[in-house]
Amino acid sequence: MTKQKITDAGALAQAALDARENAYAPYSHYTVGAALLTEEGEVFTGCNIENASYGAANCGERTAFFKAISQGRRRFQAIAIAGGMEGEEPKDYAYPCGICRQVMREFCDDGFQVIVVKSVEDRRQYRLDEILPFGFGGESIR
Ligand code: ZN
């Protein structure tokens, strides 16, 4: 966990690229790194963690979220995500899967920023409600 305030999306992108190095992906060889920025300016990183029992795998985005949530954080500004084949630079943007979008929806408001990263310079940024419109949330069942 990095403690300093990151206001620069490029720095968050670099943290995601760095986190990719720790991915455990011996089956797909597709490695993902994520860097989650809290409202307070802390960064929690995550990587994908596969398993011989495929369903036990966890995505990089959710690893970052679960680390932060388990440390008591609940408010978030942005997440940067980088993914690609092991040992290669990302060839394309790695968009979060549906399950990860739903986890974001649980803890983030519509304006939460999702940054997909090919490199520090080459990235795209979206609001959560752009990539998960008409999302289902806790307000529906309260
Ligand atoms: Zn996912």
Side-chain angles (χ1 to χ4, degrees):
M1 177 178 60
T2 308
K3 280 276 186 183
Q4 80 268 21
K5 178 99 175 169
I6 292 184
T7 52
D8 174 5
L12 200 62
Q14 184 63 61
L17 290 161
D18 292 345
R20 235 189 111 205
E21 299 296 317
N22 293 324
Y24 178 75
Y27 306 107
S28 73
H29 303 285
Y30 187 83
T31 60
V32 178
L36 176 63
L37 180 64
T38 69
E39 200 67 52
E40 296 79 21
E42 295 170 291
V43 174
F44 288 83
T45 59
C47 60
N48 57 330
I49 304 168
E50 295 183 345
N51 195 285
S53 175
Y54 287 7
N58 200 57
C59 297
E61 300 93 313
R62 278 180 291 139
T63 301
F65 265 94
F66 295 160
K67 283 170 67 179
I69 298 297
S70 66
Q71 295 291 310
R73 306 313 186 273
R74 293 291 186 273
R75 296 171 54 80
F76 305 100
Q77 299 181 48
I79 191 168
I81 306 157
M85 296 311 296
E86 192 168 41
E88 299 175 7
E89 297 302 313
K91 288 193 168 73
D92 216 335
Y93 302 107
Y95 291 91
C97 78
I99 297 172
C100 288
R101 292 178 200 210
Q102 185 63 35
V103 168
M104 292 173 196
R105 179 70 168 71
E106 183 72 22
F107 294 102
C108 306
D109 61 25
D110 287 345
F112 177 73
Q113 298 292 300
V114 178
I115 306 163
V116 289
V117 173
K118 281 195 212 175
S119 68
V120 169
E121 299 78 22
D122 187 351
R123 57 186 195 261
R124 292 181 180 170
Q125 192 162 332
Y126 303 87
R127 289 169 51 98
L128 179 57
D129 61 359
E130 288 182 280
I131 65 165
L132 186 64
F134 311 108
F136 180 80
E139 70 279 3
S140 301
I141 53 175
R142 281 190 192 116

